[in-house]
Amino acid sequence: MCNRSSRMPSSTITTLVRQLEAVPEQAKASLTPGTMRDVLDSIPDPRKRRGIRHGLTEILALAVCAVLTGAKSFAEIAEWAADTGRGPLAKAGIKVPHVTTIQRVLARVDGDVFDTAFGAWVIAQVKPKVIAIDGKEVRGAKNGGGDRVHLMAAVDHATGTILGQVSIGIKTNEITRFEDLLDTIKNLLGMIITMDALHTQRSHAEYLIKRGAHYIMTVKGNQRSLQRHLKELPWKDVPVGNKQPYKKHGRKGSRSIKVITIDAGILFPHASQAAQITRRSRRTNGTKWSVETVYIITSLPAETTSAADLNTMVRGHWTIENRLHWVRDVVFLEDKSMVRTGNAPRLMASLRNLAISLYRIARIANIAKATRHTARSAHRALKLARIRPLPATLH
């Protein structure tokens, strides 16, 4: 088995551009580049300057801490700040505003700007190599116009952190927002992007290659001629290149993969290899096997990517369901959310993403247990959120 990580070119991580207009010039030098306060300060305040008593940085900081403790709405954020976090937050230089101020301000924060800023910060922490793209609808929520809330995220395979997110409007879809999402990641050079069959689009392939990235795409009925061509390849003459058994969630099975180098006959941009993956599974205490065959196409060349590499990365793509969607639904009850004001549903999802990423960066696997643990001490939330007291000159 080849070691893909040792051959892949290192990604040059673009440092987060800091916008600290609200901080005095003489104080900027005292802040460590790339700190949480830098990122919070970069989020534009949607309010007019006149009459502001609580800075946006303060409100966002307490929101991040509250969501780390399991807060599921703006009301719960306000309750945590008032009842549990007031003392520790004060020591961190954060004054707790009234609940109506918290709700009104957070509902107006630009979710795209928030996700882009924190996505860049997370990328700098984890330095991703393989990124999964997938969408999710927040079923119980509606935005200010009464439309559905559908979000698409980019997730690091290795750590499960969220690197970016965009909203899928009622007049758009995931396909049209694909490039918008990846445009938020400043440098894709040498990265591998995995996606489901919806995104098996020639335009996506061209976009990724132009940016110096590679793709791994699943081929299904939305690309019928390509799927038919792949099915007709001489798979019976190809030996199994890798087989990976698994046993979890009450099921056991295996994933075997066959790989063929693609010739010029397959008219798909920059395709180098095709793969047939056969999944066999059954319940641990059952006897009936289910078998599924899927086809994969990738720009990764055979010289640098083995069958085992491909098998691992394809399987890794679906961890987005367990490591992001499942956590947001089960731990943070996202699909039961009834938050409806303005950008509120979007921003709450963004805060959940950041909380999940902070736990992942801290190498905490059981986030449900971690939120209960963090809820027992506001100091733990501040530490996880990396919110440190400002220098005395900034108070």
Side-chain angles (χ1 to χ4, degrees):
M1 173 177 175
C2 61
N3 186 346
R4 173 64 183 162
S5 61
S6 65
R7 290 194 301 270
M8 290 172 59
S10 298
S11 301
T12 304
I13 305 300
T14 305
T15 56
L16 180 64
V17 179
R18 294 181 292 141
Q19 302 171 1
L20 301 177
E21 289 82 2
V23 181
E25 288 294 330
Q26 65 270 22
K28 290 182 182 180
S30 66
L31 293 173
T32 303
T35 66
M36 185 64 72
R37 286 190 186 275
D38 292 345
V39 189
L40 292 172
D41 281 333
S42 75
I43 310 298
D45 196 323
R47 300 169 292 176
K48 296 181 179 179
R49 290 183 178 274
R50 185 177 179 181
I52 291 179
R53 296 179 58 188
H54 299 275
L56 181 63
T57 295
E58 298 176 58
I59 297 173
L60 287 173
L62 67 86
V64 172
C65 291
V67 174
L68 280 166
T69 69
K72 301 173 181 64
S73 66
F74 290 158
E76 290 186 27
I77 289 172
E79 291 168 2
W80 175 84
D83 299 339
T84 308
R86 188 180 297 275
L89 287 171
K91 291 180 181 179
I94 300 171
K95 298 179 181 178
V96 177
H98 191 271
V99 57
T100 55
T101 300
I102 294 174
Q103 292 175 323
R104 183 174 62 253
V105 173
L106 291 180
R108 295 175 59 192
V109 171
D110 189 317
D112 283 336
V113 173
F114 184 96
D115 285 323
T116 299
F118 275 104
W121 182 83
V122 172
I123 288 169
Q125 312 306 309
V126 302
K127 298 178 174 56
K129 296 294 184 184
V130 188
I131 300 173
I133 304 296
D134 201 14
K136 178 185 183 299
E137 186 168 347
V138 184
R139 296 176 183 174
K142 302 291 182 182
N143 64 24
D147 300 325
R148 64 175 187 165
V149 178
H150 190 131
L151 304 168
M152 183 165 64
V155 180
D156 176 34
H157 274 226
T159 62
T161 54
I162 298 88
L163 313 175
Q165 179 176 259
V166 293
S167 178
I168 310 299
I170 192 67
K171 295 182 180 181
T172 61
N173 55 53
E174 288 190 29
I175 295 173
T176 59
R177 293 284 276 159
F178 178 85
E179 293 185 18
D180 294 332
L181 173 59
L182 289 175
D183 281 346
T184 67
I185 301 176
K186 300 303 181 184
N187 195 337
L188 287 179
L189 184 63
M191 295 190 189
I192 301 167
I193 312 300
T194 67
M195 61 210 82
D196 60 24
L198 176 67
H199 292 290
T200 303
Q201 306 289 332
R202 287 167 171 77
S203 60
H204 291 1
E206 295 283 10
Y207 167 85
L208 290 171
I209 297 302
K210 184 177 180 180
R211 293 201 58 192
H214 284 287
Y215 63 79
I216 298 176
M217 297 177 173
T218 302
V219 179
K220 290 187 178 179
N222 61 322
Q223 293 285 345
R224 290 185 180 179
S225 61
L226 178 60
Q227 183 187 42
R228 183 173 61 254
H229 196 142
L230 293 178
K231 285 183 177 180
E232 292 172 352
L233 291 174
W235 296 109
K236 291 182 179 180
D237 301 329
V238 179
V240 173
N242 177 253
K243 186 175 182 179
Q244 298 181 2
Y246 66 88
K247 183 178 180 180
K248 62 179 182 179
H249 304 308
R251 299 189 69 85
K252 64 182 297 184
S254 65
R255 299 166 57 93
S256 58
I257 186 170
K258 297 180 178 182
V259 182
I260 292 178
T261 300
I262 290 178
D263 57 27
I266 290 186
L267 301 178
F268 197 87
H270 312 285
S272 293
Q273 297 187 89
Q276 181 193 70
I277 296 179
T278 302
R279 304 169 181 154
R280 300 181 72 251
S281 67
R282 65 173 174 82
R283 294 186 179 278
T284 305
N285 58 354
T287 57
K288 185 177 180 180
W289 290 89
S290 65
V291 181
E292 179 186 18
T293 300
V294 297
Y295 295 93
I296 302 296
I297 195 166
T298 180
S299 62
L300 289 163
E303 295 77 18
T304 60
T305 310
S306 72
D309 293 332
L310 277 177
N311 206 4
T312 298
M313 286 186 283
V314 172
R315 182 177 180 181
H317 174 79
W318 300 110
T319 62
I320 193 171
E321 294 290 338
N322 298 325
R323 306 194 77 183
L324 176 60
H325 299 167
W326 188 90
V327 175
R328 278 173 32 183
D329 284 344
V330 176
V331 178
F332 295 103
L333 303 181
E334 181 172 85
D335 276 354
K336 295 182 179 180
S337 171
M338 298 301 290
V339 178
R340 295 178 179 272
T341 306
N343 295 326
R346 164 67 184 281
L347 188 68
M348 280 304 304
S350 300
L351 288 167
R352 294 176 193 120
N353 284 351
L354 178 56
I356 292 168
S357 294
L358 288 168
Y359 279 123
R360 302 290 191 208
I361 290 169
R363 298 185 179 182
I364 295 172
N366 190 330
I367 293 180
K369 181 179 179 179
T371 56
R372 296 193 297 270
H373 178 76
T374 305
R376 294 195 288 270
S377 170
H379 293 287
R380 294 170 185 165
L382 285 161
K383 184 177 180 180
L384 274 167
R386 306 188 181 198
I387 304 296
R388 298 181 177 87
L390 284 170
T393 55
L394 289 180
H395 282 283

